[in-house]
Amino acid sequence: MTSRVTTFTEPAALRWQSVSPAAGAAMLAVLGLLSSDYVTTVLGFAFIYAIFCTGLNFFMGYTGQASFGQSAFAAIGGYGSAILCTDLGWDPVLALFATMALSGVAAVIVGYPTLRLRGHYLAMATFALGLIVYEITIEWTSLTQGYMGYAGIPPLGIVGFELPTVKHQLVALVVLALFGVAVANRLRRSRFGRALAAIAGSEPAALALGIDVARYKLIAFVIAAIYASAAGSLFAHFVGFISPEVFGVTMVVQSFTMLYLGGIGTVWGPMIGAVIVSVLPEALRGLKEMQDIAYSAILILVLIFVPRGLAGLSSLFARFRRNTEPL
Amino acid sequence: MPSTIEILQSLVNGVGVGLIYGLVGIGFCVIYNASGIVNFAQGVFVMLGGMFCQVLMSQLGLPIILAIAITVPLVALAGMAMELAIVRPMLHRGATLFAIILATLAAQIMIERITLLGFGDRPRTFPDFTPGGPLRVGEVAVGYQLFWILGCGALLVVALWLFFNRTRTGRALRACSQNREAAQLLGIPVARMMLVAFALSAGLGAIAGVLVTPTQYTAYNVGTPFGVSGFIAAIIGGFGRAGGALAGGLLLGVLQALAIVALGAGFKNVAALSVLLVVLMLFPNGLFAGFSLGARVHSK
């Protein structure tokens, strides 16, 4: 599997460029704090999805693999946090870490046999994983309350100190999302990240260089699962209610729309895409019931015409500038 | 412990549903052979087949024969539109495999939501093709629709075999599946063959949808289970073989029926998906890859 998207490196001199999106995110947060609670909620969703997509980007963008079933790990995180905090009275942060660990273990168990597959088989196997967990969340009513959903999940907090309003929570989410991106960026520039890029470029070549391809793929999958789980938990705490539909196929399509629109394989693409895709439908309020149609249409158009997303556009401009400079 | 009658009854039902999965599976194979991609939106054709047919019958009062005669070409057109609007431009631009898969998945969601807006979320169904029944064999009831499914399934397999072996277009399609560049050099219009493959595959899906709707129901969201089950059938049959896909579908249908008896109806999809994972991991070339069954469309 080759992917041109991933073999894309920025020179160190452009560091200010990698800081400006963080400033942008902070500005958005301030904007959210100054606006109505509704705007704050929309932005909160955007940053939760940013965490989810950053993880997905790790596996798909950096490593060149595909997972169509990341929603499964978000469901583990969401339901895990809901059950631990509501029924067992755990502390939200403790539940967050516990479900992240659980998702990581689940990803190892599931990924070990699955990641040997390639191409269509990998895509369908991961898709099946997502569907299995979705069906289980519907059918295992004694655990998940089925279609009724799980209500009354406490807001995010730490050792008894709760974040009472959506505005407090938005700040926490922005900090967590930026932290998530920073960790992903750090990993990407490490020896480990370069190994992933090598795998994305060519598996046989990576193998010839002495990279343990199977192990590195599995680690990337686990990292993506942990991010997805964290996003699921945060969603549960942020909304206070979850149902199977939250973690269905639409979640997969929506997160892919964000990832491809923002630019797959780039550091800030997932967050940029998540913010745009979350805010866009609010701007076009009339399209409420057409929302899923709009997501799919945007995704198809992006996939056909700008497969590298908005980040790809910016590098296109950069090349254009470089070409015109000598004149 | 379920009684023997119960098990026999569910086996009979499983055979009917399994044949439908087989037809959907053949649809996967036809497109895969012609283009090398897996169309994740395959299940949507089944949904559209049942949906269009029901709407034509209930709203325009058409007799079922006429409704089917209109439905199948309509859905085939939808398949061609998908090829022209999504798959072809992506192949032209050298899109990655996962991007194309994702685009077909997005197309499925889009078509489902449009159907939801247009026809509502009410489950729909229409009566068996021939009234009366079910036929009783001892304690086991066999609906007349099962005979329609069996008969049409057999007819379609024969027709497909004739198409792939006796007609120019069918042979050209097989040539494309063996080596697209060589086929192009021989003067076969490969692009047009892909259009044919999508039309054929969508048409097959529509027929499957029309056949299965009387035994259950159709709604905007039935596509995914049928699509995934069809894919499982195709994989069990060793991707690319029409006969294998049919056999795989039968096996899956029967397994699913037994799972319903053992675990309850809710977990039938979980059972089918687990079969998929096990088959993928243990037999990546399919259970029937070792020997050829019926029309062998694809050679690796």
Side-chain angles (χ1 to χ4, degrees):
Chain A
M1 201 58 43
T2 57
S3 165
R4 286 166 297 154
V5 188
T6 46
T7 50
F8 161 81
T9 53
E10 310 123 86
L14 292 177
R15 285 206 69 119
W16 62 270
Q17 268 195 345
S18 53
V19 178
S20 56
M27 272 170 62
L28 263 179
V30 172
L31 186 77
L33 293 180
L34 298 175
S35 319
S36 66
D37 276 0
Y38 183 73
V39 176
T40 315
T41 310
V42 170
L43 284 175
F45 286 137
F47 285 102
I48 290 172
Y49 259 108
I51 295 172
F52 184 88
C53 294
T54 303
L56 188 61
N57 189 34
F58 217 94
F59 189 59
M60 287 195 68
Y62 301 165
T63 322
Q65 303 301 304
S67 175
F68 288 65
Q70 287 306 104
S71 54
F73 299 110
I76 291 180
Y79 276 100
S81 280
I83 293 164
L84 288 177
C85 296
T86 314
D87 290 351
L88 304 178
W90 281 37
D91 196 71
V93 173
L94 203 60
L96 176 73
F97 286 126
T99 52
M100 279 164 76
L102 181 66
S103 291
V105 172
V108 172
I109 295 169
V110 161
Y112 184 73
T114 311
L115 298 186
R116 289 184 310 166
L117 303 169
R118 289 201 177 81
H120 299 113
Y121 292 149
L122 177 63
M124 191 45 106
T126 50
F127 189 55
L129 287 176
L131 288 177
I132 286 176
V133 172
Y134 173 69
E135 294 276 343
I136 289 175
T137 56
I138 293 175
E139 300 296 339
W140 195 353
T141 43
S142 60
L143 183 74
T144 65
Q145 311 193 352
Y147 281 116
M148 295 278 291
Y150 222 99
I153 305 160
L156 198 61
I158 187 161
V159 281
F161 175 74
E162 282 189 353
L163 297 171
T165 70
V166 277
K167 299 212 192 281
H168 287 95
Q169 296 196 33
L170 177 67
V171 175
L173 289 175
V174 171
V175 170
L176 285 174
L178 288 175
F179 177 68
V181 172
V183 169
N185 191 27
R186 185 71 194 83
L187 281 173
R188 180 193 185 217
R189 287 162 187 276
S190 68
R191 184 185 161 80
F192 169 69
R194 290 195 299 275
L196 295 186
I199 293 173
S202 160
E203 273 185 40
L207 206 58
L209 287 173
I211 294 169
D212 188 345
V213 172
R215 203 169 119 230
Y216 277 74
K217 272 195 209 170
L218 186 61
I219 297 174
F221 186 64
V222 169
I223 293 174
I226 290 175
Y227 271 87
S229 172
S233 294
L234 292 172
F235 184 94
H237 290 301
F238 188 60
V239 183
F241 170 81
I242 48 172
S243 65
E245 292 307 320
V246 173
F247 307 111
V249 183
T250 32
M251 182 183 202
V252 175
V253 172
Q254 198 172 333
S255 57
F256 276 120
T257 312
M258 294 165 174
L259 192 54
Y260 274 91
L261 185 70
I264 187 166
T266 63
V267 174
W268 291 102
M271 184 178 279
I272 296 171
V275 170
I276 294 176
V277 173
S278 304
V279 173
L280 205 62
E282 305 304 326
L284 314 164
R285 198 76 68 80
L287 286 175
K288 211 62 191 163
E289 53 184 8
M290 310 262 289
Q291 206 171 324
D292 286 332
I293 300 177
Y295 282 143
S296 333
I298 293 172
L299 177 56
I300 290 171
L301 291 176
V302 167
L303 284 171
I304 295 177
F305 295 108
V306 270
R308 288 177 58 185
L310 296 176
L313 283 183
S314 76
S315 77
L316 211 68
F317 289 134
R319 204 187 314 149
F320 179 72
R321 234 178 312 167
R322 215 174 302 139
N323 287 347
T324 47
E325 259 167 17
L327 291 175
Chain B
M1 192 62 205
S3 66
T4 325
I5 303 296
E6 220 177 319
I7 292 177
L8 275 178
Q9 180 71 59
S10 63
L11 282 181
V12 167
N13 299 342
V15 167
V17 181
L19 268 174
I20 299 297
Y21 295 158
L23 289 180
V24 181
I26 296 176
F28 270 110
C29 298
V30 169
I31 289 184
Y32 179 74
N33 284 337
S35 63
I37 63 167
V38 171
N39 176 22
F40 268 44
Q42 201 66 32
V44 103
F45 299 137
V46 181
M47 182 273 287
L48 285 180
M51 211 64 165
F52 283 173
C53 198
Q54 201 277 342
V55 169
L56 285 172
M57 284 168 69
S58 64
Q59 313 231 319
L60 302 179
L62 295 181
I64 186 149
I65 304 281
L66 202 56
I68 295 173
I70 297 174
T71 298
V72 175
L74 257 183
V75 178
L77 272 180
M80 289 163 85
M82 192 183 287
E83 201 273 337
L84 284 175
I86 298 172
V87 176
R88 184 168 300 190
M90 293 193 76
L91 281 178
H92 267 298
R93 287 157 190 270
T96 58
L97 179 73
F98 292 133
I100 298 180
I101 292 177
L102 190 54
T104 59
L105 187 64
Q108 156 146 351
I109 302 281
M110 190 154 86
I111 295 173
E112 278 181 0
R113 297 294 148 162
I114 293 172
T115 313
L116 176 63
L117 278 185
F119 301 123
D121 60 357
R122 188 170 57 89
R124 295 152 181 268
T125 189
F126 46 83
D128 287 7
F129 292 0
T130 36
L135 190 68
R136 294 211 167 267
V137 184
E139 296 279 314
V140 180
V142 185
Y144 284 171
Q145 190 65 21
L146 180 64
F147 295 107
W148 278 102
I149 296 176
L150 285 173
C152 293
L155 265 181
L156 278 173
V157 169
V158 172
L160 279 173
W161 188 86
L162 287 175
F163 172 72
F164 278 115
N165 289 287
R166 294 291 152 84
T167 66
R168 254 181 103 78
T169 316
R171 288 175 178 173
L173 261 177
R174 277 169 62 211
C176 292
S177 76
Q178 281 169 10
N179 187 330
R180 246 179 299 167
E181 275 163 30
Q184 186 118 44
L185 288 174
L186 285 171
I188 293 171
V190 173
R192 204 187 303 158
M193 285 302 129
M194 276 188 56
L195 207 55
V196 172
F198 268 83
L200 182 62
S201 170
L204 276 173
I207 295 174
V210 170
L211 282 172
V212 80
T213 301
T215 68
Q216 28 190 281
Y217 65 91
T218 185
Y220 74 98
N221 58 359
V222 300
T224 307
F226 276 115
V228 173
S229 302
F231 183 83
I232 299 170
I235 285 198
I236 294 177
F239 224 96
R241 301 146 191 270
L246 210 58
L250 279 175
L251 188 65
L252 180 67
V254 168
L255 277 178
Q256 218 176 40
L258 292 178
I260 294 176
V261 175
L263 305 170
F267 284 99
K268 70 170 186 179
N269 288 334
V270 176
L273 293 163
S274 308
V275 170
L276 166 72
L277 291 180
V278 169
V279 170
L280 272 178
M281 284 156 199
L282 298 184
F283 310 95
N285 295 319
L287 288 180
F288 300 106
F291 48 96
S292 174
L293 263 167
R296 185 172 171 184
V297 187
H298 182 60
S299 66
K300 286 221 170 81

